Amino acid sequence: MISAGDPQLSVVLSGYGGYECLKVMPWPTRLLGKGDVQVAVVVCGMNFADLYTRQGLLHERKPPFVLGMECAGKVTAVGDSVTHINVGDRVLCYQYTGDLYREHVVVSASNCFVLPSGMSYEHGAALAANYLTAYFCVLDIGHLRDGQSILIPSCAGGVGWAATQLARSVGTVTIFGTCSPGKRDAVQKNGVTHPLNHDNYDQELLKHSPDGVDVVIDSVAGSAFSTSQRLLKPLGRAVLIGSSSVVTGSKKIGMWNFLRMWWDTKGISATDLIMHNRVVAGLHLGLLMEREPDRIREAMDHLFQLYEEGKIKPYIDSTWPLDKVVDATKVLAERKNVGKVLLTIERTDSSEL
Ligand SMILES: NC(=O)c1ccc[n+]([C@@H]2O[C@H](COP(=O)([O-])OP(=O)(O)OC[C@H]3O[C@@H](n4cnc5c(N)ncnc54)[C@H](OP(=O)(O)O)[C@@H]3O)[C@@H](O)[C@H]2O)c1
């Protein structure tokens, strides 16, 4: 167990901007409080939201602070009132406000889930953000059913990969997915029926399915948001989860980019919803975890069950030591990843694990 305040090697965001804002350095931990657990981290899961955060789109906290929304490791201490987690448990942690790219984390027990015995730390660190998000889009809000169809943008990314597997788990479904051309074979192996290019995916989709699709996950936003609505069949469901289109370079996101994305995305016509029998929804996983923890635990239990049945399996694109966080970030920013990018913690003392 570490002492409160002990500096831990961490990925610190020193300000909003380019890669130079990512610093790997010792940073103090917070005090283990009532309801908290302390975890010796083995692996951290990287997310597209790390780009939004560094580039100034998300302002949950003011820099400097430690980045990182998810990790997996072994519990080394528990605070008062923690009942469902014990020292020695292998856990995954998800915290949308960050603070998890470090050797040891102190995190509320409500953000931790004990891993099934057959799940590796790598798969644990790849589960929460991608599979919970996909779960609510595909199975909960999207309510995809046998015989239906779905459009998954960026289907080779972490959420897209998870959404494809969850869509497959409901039966015979037609899956349309967009990705960069070099990733087509991989996404087809994962279960995408029709891989499509980013630039003309709507026309290509309508050639295969002139009436559109039952479910659309929209992680791109901007002008794609109108297209998502237009591609819905009557009683179809579109779930807006992100705005990848706002990330165009590696520097701080400019006000013009942000305004254009906001302007293009804001258009939901109430009349259109009625006249076309459409459902348009939004999802913010982090806030859902804060406000509806029981719904999240239920979803996670279901995901663990699907994992144990072999119906879902995260795909790891690459793993990088913590001090190579800039190289790892470039894999995401340059759209090279298939599946999940991980950061690993190298330990000289492995007695905690
Ligand atoms: N609302 C929530 O609670 C929630 C939770 C988790 C994730 N998300 C959102 O889901 C999306 C995917 O996240 P992730 O962590 O799975 O991402 P990821 O693994 O980093 O994958 C992202 C992929 O998206 C594609 N992409 C990148 N920039 C793009 C752009 N400007 N326009 C279109 N596609 C682009 C790239 O692949 P290709 O070029 O091959 O398509 C990239 O590999 C993000 O928008 C993220 O913010 C939302």
Side-chain angles (χ1 to χ4, degrees), residues 46-49 52 129-130 133 154 156-160 178-180 183 198 219-220 241-245 247 283-286 332 335-337 339:
M46 298 194 78
N47 287 288
F48 200 80
Y52 295 148
N130 293 165
T133 303
S154 310
V159 173
T178 61
C179 63
S180 295
K183 301 177 186 175
H198 283 292
S219 56
V220 178
I241 62 164
S243 50
S244 312
S245 59
V247 176
L283 177 77
H284 186 305
L285 182 67
L332 295 182
R335 305 171 75 150
K336 290 182 180 155
N337 65 307

PDB file of all heavy atoms in Angstrom, residues 46-49 52 129-130 133 154 156-160 178-180 183 198 219-220 241-245 247 283-286 332 335-337 339, ligand 1:
ATOM      1  N   MET A  46      -6.813   3.433 -23.394  1.00  0.00           N
ATOM      2  CA  MET A  46      -6.883   4.784 -23.972  1.00  0.00           C
ATOM      3  C   MET A  46      -8.203   4.955 -24.716  1.00  0.00           C
ATOM      4  O   MET A  46      -8.794   3.987 -25.202  1.00  0.00           O
ATOM      5  CB  MET A  46      -5.718   5.013 -24.925  1.00  0.00           C
ATOM      6  CG  MET A  46      -4.383   4.937 -24.214  1.00  0.00           C
ATOM      7  SD  MET A  46      -3.047   5.604 -25.217  1.00  0.00           S
ATOM      8  CE  MET A  46      -3.302   7.353 -25.003  1.00  0.00           C
ATOM      9  N   ASN A  47      -8.650   6.204 -24.816  1.00  0.00           N
ATOM     10  CA  ASN A  47      -9.930   6.493 -25.458  1.00  0.00           C
ATOM     11  C   ASN A  47      -9.821   7.716 -26.356  1.00  0.00           C
ATOM     12  O   ASN A  47      -8.988   8.598 -26.117  1.00  0.00           O
ATOM     13  CB  ASN A  47     -11.004   6.745 -24.388  1.00  0.00           C
ATOM     14  CG  ASN A  47     -11.400   5.462 -23.696  1.00  0.00           C
ATOM     15  OD1 ASN A  47     -12.069   4.622 -24.285  1.00  0.00           O
ATOM     16  ND2 ASN A  47     -10.970   5.287 -22.462  1.00  0.00           N
ATOM     17  N   PHE A  48     -10.725   7.789 -27.337  1.00  0.00           N
ATOM     18  CA  PHE A  48     -10.787   8.960 -28.214  1.00  0.00           C
ATOM     19  C   PHE A  48     -11.012  10.215 -27.372  1.00  0.00           C
ATOM     20  O   PHE A  48     -10.532  11.303 -27.716  1.00  0.00           O
ATOM     21  CB  PHE A  48     -11.928   8.782 -29.219  1.00  0.00           C
ATOM     22  CG  PHE A  48     -11.796   9.657 -30.435  1.00  0.00           C
ATOM     23  CD1 PHE A  48     -10.952   9.304 -31.478  1.00  0.00           C
ATOM     24  CD2 PHE A  48     -12.511  10.837 -30.538  1.00  0.00           C
ATOM     25  CE1 PHE A  48     -10.822  10.121 -32.599  1.00  0.00           C
ATOM     26  CE2 PHE A  48     -12.390  11.652 -31.653  1.00  0.00           C
ATOM     27  CZ  PHE A  48     -11.547  11.291 -32.686  1.00  0.00           C
ATOM     28  N   ALA A  49     -11.722  10.056 -26.258  1.00  0.00           N
ATOM     29  CA  ALA A  49     -12.002  11.205 -25.392  1.00  0.00           C
ATOM     30  C   ALA A  49     -10.712  11.807 -24.819  1.00  0.00           C
ATOM     31  O   ALA A  49     -10.698  12.978 -24.424  1.00  0.00           O
ATOM     32  CB  ALA A  49     -12.928  10.786 -24.261  1.00  0.00           C
ATOM     33  N   TYR A  52     -10.086  14.589 -27.156  1.00  0.00           N
ATOM     34  CA  TYR A  52     -10.972  15.733 -26.862  1.00  0.00           C
ATOM     35  C   TYR A  52     -10.457  16.504 -25.653  1.00  0.00           C
ATOM     36  O   TYR A  52     -10.449  17.726 -25.637  1.00  0.00           O
ATOM     37  CB  TYR A  52     -12.382  15.282 -26.470  1.00  0.00           C
ATOM     38  CG  TYR A  52     -13.232  14.575 -27.477  1.00  0.00           C
ATOM     39  CD1 TYR A  52     -14.147  13.618 -27.054  1.00  0.00           C
ATOM     40  CD2 TYR A  52     -13.207  14.892 -28.833  1.00  0.00           C
ATOM     41  CE1 TYR A  52     -14.988  12.970 -27.933  1.00  0.00           C
ATOM     42  CE2 TYR A  52     -14.038  14.248 -29.724  1.00  0.00           C
ATOM     43  CZ  TYR A  52     -14.928  13.285 -29.279  1.00  0.00           C
ATOM     44  OH  TYR A  52     -15.757  12.647 -30.140  1.00  0.00           O
ATOM     45  N   ALA A 129     -15.322   1.628 -21.078  1.00  0.00           N
ATOM     46  CA  ALA A 129     -15.743   2.733 -21.954  1.00  0.00           C
ATOM     47  C   ALA A 129     -16.325   2.205 -23.261  1.00  0.00           C
ATOM     48  O   ALA A 129     -17.378   2.663 -23.714  1.00  0.00           O
ATOM     49  CB  ALA A 129     -14.552   3.645 -22.240  1.00  0.00           C
ATOM     50  N   ASN A 130     -15.668   1.237 -23.864  1.00  0.00           N
ATOM     51  CA  ASN A 130     -16.117   0.764 -25.179  1.00  0.00           C
ATOM     52  C   ASN A 130     -17.368  -0.103 -25.094  1.00  0.00           C
ATOM     53  O   ASN A 130     -18.348   0.125 -25.815  1.00  0.00           O
ATOM     54  CB  ASN A 130     -15.009  -0.048 -25.862  1.00  0.00           C
ATOM     55  CG  ASN A 130     -13.800   0.808 -26.229  1.00  0.00           C
ATOM     56  OD1 ASN A 130     -12.746   0.292 -26.529  1.00  0.00           O
ATOM     57  ND2 ASN A 130     -13.954   2.122 -26.194  1.00  0.00           N
ATOM     58  N   THR A 133     -20.591   1.635 -23.396  1.00  0.00           N
ATOM     59  CA  THR A 133     -21.177   2.589 -24.353  1.00  0.00           C
ATOM     60  C   THR A 133     -21.923   1.831 -25.447  1.00  0.00           C
ATOM     61  O   THR A 133     -23.081   2.142 -25.767  1.00  0.00           O
ATOM     62  CB  THR A 133     -20.067   3.466 -24.977  1.00  0.00           C
ATOM     63  OG1 THR A 133     -19.370   4.106 -23.914  1.00  0.00           O
ATOM     64  CG2 THR A 133     -20.633   4.505 -25.912  1.00  0.00           C
ATOM     65  N   SER A 154     -17.099   4.429 -37.662  1.00  0.00           N
ATOM     66  CA  SER A 154     -15.802   4.119 -37.056  1.00  0.00           C
ATOM     67  C   SER A 154     -15.846   2.724 -36.416  1.00  0.00           C
ATOM     68  O   SER A 154     -15.483   2.551 -35.249  1.00  0.00           O
ATOM     69  CB  SER A 154     -15.435   5.166 -36.010  1.00  0.00           C
ATOM     70  OG  SER A 154     -15.570   6.459 -36.538  1.00  0.00           O
ATOM     71  N   ALA A 156     -14.068   0.215 -36.680  1.00  0.00           N
ATOM     72  CA  ALA A 156     -12.803  -0.420 -36.294  1.00  0.00           C
ATOM     73  C   ALA A 156     -12.258   0.127 -34.987  1.00  0.00           C
ATOM     74  O   ALA A 156     -11.306  -0.414 -34.430  1.00  0.00           O
ATOM     75  CB  ALA A 156     -11.761  -0.214 -37.387  1.00  0.00           C
ATOM     76  N   GLY A 157     -12.850   1.204 -34.471  1.00  0.00           N
ATOM     77  CA  GLY A 157     -12.388   1.783 -33.204  1.00  0.00           C
ATOM     78  C   GLY A 157     -12.903   0.964 -32.018  1.00  0.00           C
ATOM     79  O   GLY A 157     -13.618  -0.030 -32.197  1.00  0.00           O
ATOM     80  N   GLY A 158     -12.548   1.394 -30.824  1.00  0.00           N
ATOM     81  CA  GLY A 158     -12.916   0.626 -29.633  1.00  0.00           C
ATOM     82  C   GLY A 158     -14.418   0.449 -29.478  1.00  0.00           C
ATOM     83  O   GLY A 158     -14.919  -0.682 -29.325  1.00  0.00           O
ATOM     84  N   VAL A 159     -15.185   1.548 -29.529  1.00  0.00           N
ATOM     85  CA  VAL A 159     -16.646   1.440 -29.380  1.00  0.00           C
ATOM     86  C   VAL A 159     -17.241   0.691 -30.568  1.00  0.00           C
ATOM     87  O   VAL A 159     -18.119  -0.166 -30.407  1.00  0.00           O
ATOM     88  CB  VAL A 159     -17.291   2.845 -29.252  1.00  0.00           C
ATOM     89  CG1 VAL A 159     -18.808   2.743 -29.275  1.00  0.00           C
ATOM     90  CG2 VAL A 159     -16.847   3.533 -27.960  1.00  0.00           C
ATOM     91  N   GLY A 160     -16.743   1.002 -31.772  1.00  0.00           N
ATOM     92  CA  GLY A 160     -17.275   0.361 -32.977  1.00  0.00           C
ATOM     93  C   GLY A 160     -17.061  -1.149 -32.951  1.00  0.00           C
ATOM     94  O   GLY A 160     -17.946  -1.931 -33.330  1.00  0.00           O
ATOM     95  N   THR A 178     -18.608   2.165 -41.055  1.00  0.00           N
ATOM     96  CA  THR A 178     -17.610   2.949 -41.798  1.00  0.00           C
ATOM     97  C   THR A 178     -16.233   2.760 -41.162  1.00  0.00           C
ATOM     98  O   THR A 178     -16.124   2.564 -39.941  1.00  0.00           O
ATOM     99  CB  THR A 178     -17.948   4.455 -41.783  1.00  0.00           C
ATOM    100  OG1 THR A 178     -17.963   4.913 -40.430  1.00  0.00           O
ATOM    101  CG2 THR A 178     -19.281   4.737 -42.439  1.00  0.00           C
ATOM    102  N   CYS A 179     -15.195   2.798 -42.021  1.00  0.00           N
ATOM    103  CA  CYS A 179     -13.820   2.735 -41.510  1.00  0.00           C
ATOM    104  C   CYS A 179     -12.870   3.168 -42.623  1.00  0.00           C
ATOM    105  O   CYS A 179     -13.279   3.270 -43.781  1.00  0.00           O
ATOM    106  CB  CYS A 179     -13.467   1.322 -41.036  1.00  0.00           C
ATOM    107  SG  CYS A 179     -13.498   0.075 -42.322  1.00  0.00           S
ATOM    108  N   SER A 180     -11.623   3.421 -42.258  1.00  0.00           N
ATOM    109  CA  SER A 180     -10.602   3.708 -43.272  1.00  0.00           C
ATOM    110  C   SER A 180     -10.392   2.443 -44.103  1.00  0.00           C
ATOM    111  O   SER A 180     -10.549   1.324 -43.584  1.00  0.00           O
ATOM    112  CB  SER A 180      -9.297   4.118 -42.597  1.00  0.00           C
ATOM    113  OG  SER A 180      -9.478   5.332 -41.899  1.00  0.00           O
ATOM    114  N   LYS A 183      -8.769  -1.069 -43.125  1.00  0.00           N
ATOM    115  CA  LYS A 183      -9.286  -1.828 -41.973  1.00  0.00           C
ATOM    116  C   LYS A 183     -10.462  -2.748 -42.355  1.00  0.00           C
ATOM    117  O   LYS A 183     -11.059  -3.388 -41.497  1.00  0.00           O
ATOM    118  CB  LYS A 183      -9.745  -0.856 -40.879  1.00  0.00           C
ATOM    119  CG  LYS A 183      -8.655   0.078 -40.380  1.00  0.00           C
ATOM    120  CD  LYS A 183      -9.188   1.063 -39.345  1.00  0.00           C
ATOM    121  CE  LYS A 183      -8.149   2.088 -38.939  1.00  0.00           C
ATOM    122  NZ  LYS A 183      -8.671   3.126 -38.037  1.00  0.00           N
ATOM    123  N   HIS A 198     -15.872   6.401 -45.586  1.00  0.00           N
ATOM    124  CA  HIS A 198     -16.431   7.525 -44.838  1.00  0.00           C
ATOM    125  C   HIS A 198     -17.163   8.524 -45.741  1.00  0.00           C
ATOM    126  O   HIS A 198     -18.170   9.094 -45.346  1.00  0.00           O
ATOM    127  CB  HIS A 198     -15.315   8.280 -44.103  1.00  0.00           C
ATOM    128  CG  HIS A 198     -14.858   7.570 -42.869  1.00  0.00           C
ATOM    129  ND1 HIS A 198     -15.648   7.435 -41.765  1.00  0.00           N
ATOM    130  CD2 HIS A 198     -13.695   6.944 -42.573  1.00  0.00           C
ATOM    131  CE1 HIS A 198     -14.987   6.768 -40.833  1.00  0.00           C
ATOM    132  NE2 HIS A 198     -13.803   6.447 -41.302  1.00  0.00           N
ATOM    133  N   SER A 219     -21.169   8.719 -33.718  1.00  0.00           N
ATOM    134  CA  SER A 219     -20.040   9.198 -32.924  1.00  0.00           C
ATOM    135  C   SER A 219     -19.282  10.292 -33.659  1.00  0.00           C
ATOM    136  O   SER A 219     -18.260  10.764 -33.189  1.00  0.00           O
ATOM    137  CB  SER A 219     -19.086   8.035 -32.617  1.00  0.00           C
ATOM    138  OG  SER A 219     -18.676   7.424 -33.820  1.00  0.00           O
ATOM    139  N   VAL A 220     -19.787  10.690 -34.832  1.00  0.00           N
ATOM    140  CA  VAL A 220     -19.068  11.644 -35.678  1.00  0.00           C
ATOM    141  C   VAL A 220     -19.635  13.052 -35.526  1.00  0.00           C
ATOM    142  O   VAL A 220     -18.912  14.033 -35.464  1.00  0.00           O
ATOM    143  CB  VAL A 220     -19.122  11.182 -37.156  1.00  0.00           C
ATOM    144  CG1 VAL A 220     -18.422  12.177 -38.066  1.00  0.00           C
ATOM    145  CG2 VAL A 220     -18.488   9.804 -37.297  1.00  0.00           C
ATOM    146  N   ILE A 241     -23.404   9.890 -29.608  1.00  0.00           N
ATOM    147  CA  ILE A 241     -22.486   9.628 -28.491  1.00  0.00           C
ATOM    148  C   ILE A 241     -21.203  10.448 -28.549  1.00  0.00           C
ATOM    149  O   ILE A 241     -20.436  10.467 -27.594  1.00  0.00           O
ATOM    150  CB  ILE A 241     -22.100   8.132 -28.390  1.00  0.00           C
ATOM    151  CG1 ILE A 241     -21.351   7.663 -29.643  1.00  0.00           C
ATOM    152  CG2 ILE A 241     -23.324   7.269 -28.135  1.00  0.00           C
ATOM    153  CD1 ILE A 241     -20.625   6.338 -29.438  1.00  0.00           C
ATOM    154  N   GLY A 242     -20.900  11.082 -29.680  1.00  0.00           N
ATOM    155  CA  GLY A 242     -19.614  11.775 -29.746  1.00  0.00           C
ATOM    156  C   GLY A 242     -19.561  12.737 -30.905  1.00  0.00           C
ATOM    157  O   GLY A 242     -20.559  12.936 -31.615  1.00  0.00           O
ATOM    158  N   SER A 243     -18.413  13.344 -31.099  1.00  0.00           N
ATOM    159  CA  SER A 243     -18.249  14.329 -32.172  1.00  0.00           C
ATOM    160  C   SER A 243     -16.835  14.233 -32.724  1.00  0.00           C
ATOM    161  O   SER A 243     -16.084  15.207 -32.716  1.00  0.00           O
ATOM    162  CB  SER A 243     -18.560  15.725 -31.643  1.00  0.00           C
ATOM    163  OG  SER A 243     -17.842  15.956 -30.446  1.00  0.00           O
ATOM    164  N   SER A 244     -16.479  13.019 -33.208  1.00  0.00           N
ATOM    165  CA  SER A 244     -15.117  12.797 -33.730  1.00  0.00           C
ATOM    166  C   SER A 244     -14.754  13.823 -34.794  1.00  0.00           C
ATOM    167  O   SER A 244     -13.581  14.182 -34.936  1.00  0.00           O
ATOM    168  CB  SER A 244     -14.993  11.417 -34.366  1.00  0.00           C
ATOM    169  OG  SER A 244     -15.506  10.428 -33.557  1.00  0.00           O
ATOM    170  N   SER A 245     -15.744  14.305 -35.548  1.00  0.00           N
ATOM    171  CA  SER A 245     -15.450  15.194 -36.676  1.00  0.00           C
ATOM    172  C   SER A 245     -14.814  16.510 -36.226  1.00  0.00           C
ATOM    173  O   SER A 245     -14.209  17.207 -37.033  1.00  0.00           O
ATOM    174  CB  SER A 245     -16.716  15.484 -37.480  1.00  0.00           C
ATOM    175  OG  SER A 245     -17.690  16.077 -36.658  1.00  0.00           O
ATOM    176  N   VAL A 247     -12.299  16.764 -34.294  1.00  0.00           N
ATOM    177  CA  VAL A 247     -10.839  16.576 -34.166  1.00  0.00           C
ATOM    178  C   VAL A 247     -10.238  16.497 -35.563  1.00  0.00           C
ATOM    179  O   VAL A 247     -10.381  15.493 -36.244  1.00  0.00           O
ATOM    180  CB  VAL A 247     -10.524  15.292 -33.357  1.00  0.00           C
ATOM    181  CG1 VAL A 247      -9.023  15.041 -33.311  1.00  0.00           C
ATOM    182  CG2 VAL A 247     -11.089  15.393 -31.959  1.00  0.00           C
ATOM    183  N   LEU A 283     -26.261   9.814 -25.316  1.00  0.00           N
ATOM    184  CA  LEU A 283     -25.695   9.015 -24.216  1.00  0.00           C
ATOM    185  C   LEU A 283     -24.402   9.658 -23.721  1.00  0.00           C
ATOM    186  O   LEU A 283     -23.540  10.009 -24.535  1.00  0.00           O
ATOM    187  CB  LEU A 283     -25.393   7.592 -24.711  1.00  0.00           C
ATOM    188  CG  LEU A 283     -24.718   6.683 -23.672  1.00  0.00           C
ATOM    189  CD1 LEU A 283     -25.730   6.187 -22.645  1.00  0.00           C
ATOM    190  CD2 LEU A 283     -24.029   5.497 -24.339  1.00  0.00           C
ATOM    191  N   HIS A 284     -24.268   9.790 -22.403  1.00  0.00           N
ATOM    192  CA  HIS A 284     -23.006  10.205 -21.774  1.00  0.00           C
ATOM    193  C   HIS A 284     -22.733   9.175 -20.684  1.00  0.00           C
ATOM    194  O   HIS A 284     -23.348   9.207 -19.614  1.00  0.00           O
ATOM    195  CB  HIS A 284     -23.155  11.610 -21.190  1.00  0.00           C
ATOM    196  CG  HIS A 284     -21.872  12.186 -20.647  1.00  0.00           C
ATOM    197  ND1 HIS A 284     -21.107  11.553 -19.705  1.00  0.00           N
ATOM    198  CD2 HIS A 284     -21.209  13.342 -20.940  1.00  0.00           C
ATOM    199  CE1 HIS A 284     -20.043  12.293 -19.425  1.00  0.00           C
ATOM    200  NE2 HIS A 284     -20.085  13.382 -20.165  1.00  0.00           N
ATOM    201  N   LEU A 285     -21.820   8.245 -20.990  1.00  0.00           N
ATOM    202  CA  LEU A 285     -21.596   7.113 -20.086  1.00  0.00           C
ATOM    203  C   LEU A 285     -21.181   7.555 -18.680  1.00  0.00           C
ATOM    204  O   LEU A 285     -21.682   7.026 -17.677  1.00  0.00           O
ATOM    205  CB  LEU A 285     -20.535   6.181 -20.683  1.00  0.00           C
ATOM    206  CG  LEU A 285     -20.241   4.939 -19.856  1.00  0.00           C
ATOM    207  CD1 LEU A 285     -21.441   4.004 -19.819  1.00  0.00           C
ATOM    208  CD2 LEU A 285     -19.017   4.214 -20.385  1.00  0.00           C
ATOM    209  N   GLY A 286     -20.269   8.525 -18.606  1.00  0.00           N
ATOM    210  CA  GLY A 286     -19.752   8.946 -17.300  1.00  0.00           C
ATOM    211  C   GLY A 286     -20.851   9.488 -16.397  1.00  0.00           C
ATOM    212  O   GLY A 286     -20.940   9.132 -15.217  1.00  0.00           O
ATOM    213  N   LEU A 332      -4.135   6.741 -32.130  1.00  0.00           N
ATOM    214  CA  LEU A 332      -5.551   7.127 -32.145  1.00  0.00           C
ATOM    215  C   LEU A 332      -5.766   8.352 -33.037  1.00  0.00           C
ATOM    216  O   LEU A 332      -6.671   8.372 -33.867  1.00  0.00           O
ATOM    217  CB  LEU A 332      -6.039   7.471 -30.730  1.00  0.00           C
ATOM    218  CG  LEU A 332      -6.080   6.358 -29.690  1.00  0.00           C
ATOM    219  CD1 LEU A 332      -6.643   6.895 -28.381  1.00  0.00           C
ATOM    220  CD2 LEU A 332      -6.942   5.192 -30.154  1.00  0.00           C
ATOM    221  N   ARG A 335      -5.663   7.843 -36.736  1.00  0.00           N
ATOM    222  CA  ARG A 335      -6.700   6.890 -37.175  1.00  0.00           C
ATOM    223  C   ARG A 335      -6.121   5.545 -37.595  1.00  0.00           C
ATOM    224  O   ARG A 335      -6.619   4.910 -38.520  1.00  0.00           O
ATOM    225  CB  ARG A 335      -7.520   7.496 -38.314  1.00  0.00           C
ATOM    226  CG  ARG A 335      -8.120   8.831 -37.947  1.00  0.00           C
ATOM    227  CD  ARG A 335      -8.743   9.551 -39.112  1.00  0.00           C
ATOM    228  NE  ARG A 335     -10.020   8.929 -39.474  1.00  0.00           N
ATOM    229  CZ  ARG A 335     -11.030   9.599 -40.002  1.00  0.00           C
ATOM    230  NH1 ARG A 335     -10.923  10.894 -40.212  1.00  0.00           N
ATOM    231  NH2 ARG A 335     -12.133   9.001 -40.315  1.00  0.00           N
ATOM    232  N   LYS A 336      -5.049   5.110 -36.884  1.00  0.00           N
ATOM    233  CA  LYS A 336      -4.384   3.861 -37.278  1.00  0.00           C
ATOM    234  C   LYS A 336      -4.913   2.665 -36.515  1.00  0.00           C
ATOM    235  O   LYS A 336      -4.621   1.524 -36.863  1.00  0.00           O
ATOM    236  CB  LYS A 336      -2.874   3.990 -37.036  1.00  0.00           C
ATOM    237  CG  LYS A 336      -2.193   4.944 -38.002  1.00  0.00           C
ATOM    238  CD  LYS A 336      -0.709   4.998 -37.737  1.00  0.00           C
ATOM    239  CE  LYS A 336      -0.011   5.942 -38.680  1.00  0.00           C
ATOM    240  NZ  LYS A 336       1.243   6.451 -38.122  1.00  0.00           N
ATOM    241  N   ASN A 337      -5.636   2.892 -35.417  1.00  0.00           N
ATOM    242  CA  ASN A 337      -5.971   1.763 -34.552  1.00  0.00           C
ATOM    243  C   ASN A 337      -7.099   0.899 -35.094  1.00  0.00           C
ATOM    244  O   ASN A 337      -8.036   1.366 -35.720  1.00  0.00           O
ATOM    245  CB  ASN A 337      -6.355   2.256 -33.144  1.00  0.00           C
ATOM    246  CG  ASN A 337      -7.628   3.088 -33.128  1.00  0.00           C
ATOM    247  OD1 ASN A 337      -7.737   4.058 -33.870  1.00  0.00           O
ATOM    248  ND2 ASN A 337      -8.585   2.708 -32.302  1.00  0.00           N
ATOM    249  N   GLY A 339      -9.408  -1.534 -32.871  1.00  0.00           N
ATOM    250  CA  GLY A 339      -9.650  -1.924 -31.482  1.00  0.00           C
ATOM    251  C   GLY A 339      -8.958  -0.978 -30.508  1.00  0.00           C
ATOM    252  O   GLY A 339      -8.779   0.210 -30.772  1.00  0.00           O
TER     253      GLY A 339
HETATM  254  N1  LIG B   1     -20.956   9.315 -25.124  1.00  0.00           N
HETATM  255  C1  LIG B   1     -20.168   8.484 -24.475  1.00  0.00           C
HETATM  256  O1  LIG B   1     -20.388   8.203 -23.301  1.00  0.00           O
HETATM  257  C2  LIG B   1     -18.983   7.893 -25.183  1.00  0.00           C
HETATM  258  C3  LIG B   1     -18.213   6.900 -24.571  1.00  0.00           C
HETATM  259  C4  LIG B   1     -17.129   6.349 -25.285  1.00  0.00           C
HETATM  260  C5  LIG B   1     -16.835   6.820 -26.573  1.00  0.00           C
HETATM  261  N2  LIG B   1     -17.611   7.810 -27.109  1.00  0.00           N
HETATM  262  C6  LIG B   1     -17.321   8.330 -28.471  1.00  0.00           C
HETATM  263  O2  LIG B   1     -17.259   7.264 -29.392  1.00  0.00           O
HETATM  264  C7  LIG B   1     -16.340   7.586 -30.423  1.00  0.00           C
HETATM  265  C8  LIG B   1     -15.338   6.462 -30.574  1.00  0.00           C
HETATM  266  O3  LIG B   1     -14.552   6.395 -29.391  1.00  0.00           O
HETATM  267  P1  LIG B   1     -13.421   5.277 -29.256  1.00  0.00           P
HETATM  268  O4  LIG B   1     -12.722   5.510 -27.970  1.00  0.00           O
HETATM  269  O5  LIG B   1     -13.976   3.958 -29.590  1.00  0.00           O
HETATM  270  O6  LIG B   1     -12.468   5.718 -30.446  1.00  0.00           O
HETATM  271  P2  LIG B   1     -11.184   5.036 -31.057  1.00  0.00           P
HETATM  272  O7  LIG B   1     -10.970   3.651 -30.598  1.00  0.00           O
HETATM  273  O8  LIG B   1     -10.123   6.041 -30.850  1.00  0.00           O
HETATM  274  O9  LIG B   1     -11.541   4.963 -32.579  1.00  0.00           O
HETATM  275  C9  LIG B   1     -11.819   6.081 -33.263  1.00  0.00           C
HETATM  276  C10 LIG B   1     -11.819   5.798 -34.749  1.00  0.00           C
HETATM  277  O10 LIG B   1     -12.697   6.785 -35.279  1.00  0.00           O
HETATM  278  C11 LIG B   1     -12.270   7.102 -36.561  1.00  0.00           C
HETATM  279  N3  LIG B   1     -12.115   8.559 -36.611  1.00  0.00           N
HETATM  280  C12 LIG B   1     -11.154   9.321 -36.092  1.00  0.00           C
HETATM  281  N4  LIG B   1     -11.341  10.603 -36.356  1.00  0.00           N
HETATM  282  C13 LIG B   1     -12.453  10.665 -37.054  1.00  0.00           C
HETATM  283  C14 LIG B   1     -13.157  11.730 -37.620  1.00  0.00           C
HETATM  284  N5  LIG B   1     -12.708  12.991 -37.538  1.00  0.00           N
HETATM  285  N6  LIG B   1     -14.299  11.462 -38.276  1.00  0.00           N
HETATM  286  C15 LIG B   1     -14.710  10.181 -38.372  1.00  0.00           C
HETATM  287  N7  LIG B   1     -14.079   9.116 -37.834  1.00  0.00           N
HETATM  288  C16 LIG B   1     -12.962   9.369 -37.202  1.00  0.00           C
HETATM  289  C17 LIG B   1     -10.938   6.416 -36.825  1.00  0.00           C
HETATM  290  O11 LIG B   1     -11.090   5.202 -37.540  1.00  0.00           O
HETATM  291  P3  LIG B   1     -11.492   5.098 -39.084  1.00  0.00           P
HETATM  292  O12 LIG B   1     -10.809   6.205 -39.821  1.00  0.00           O
HETATM  293  O13 LIG B   1     -11.054   3.735 -39.486  1.00  0.00           O
HETATM  294  O14 LIG B   1     -12.971   5.215 -39.069  1.00  0.00           O
HETATM  295  C18 LIG B   1     -10.483   6.043 -35.431  1.00  0.00           C
HETATM  296  O15 LIG B   1      -9.626   4.927 -35.459  1.00  0.00           O
HETATM  297  C19 LIG B   1     -15.733   8.947 -30.067  1.00  0.00           C
HETATM  298  O16 LIG B   1     -16.429   9.961 -30.730  1.00  0.00           O
HETATM  299  C20 LIG B   1     -15.976   9.024 -28.565  1.00  0.00           C
HETATM  300  O17 LIG B   1     -16.025  10.317 -28.102  1.00  0.00           O
HETATM  301  C21 LIG B   1     -18.658   8.347 -26.439  1.00  0.00           C
END
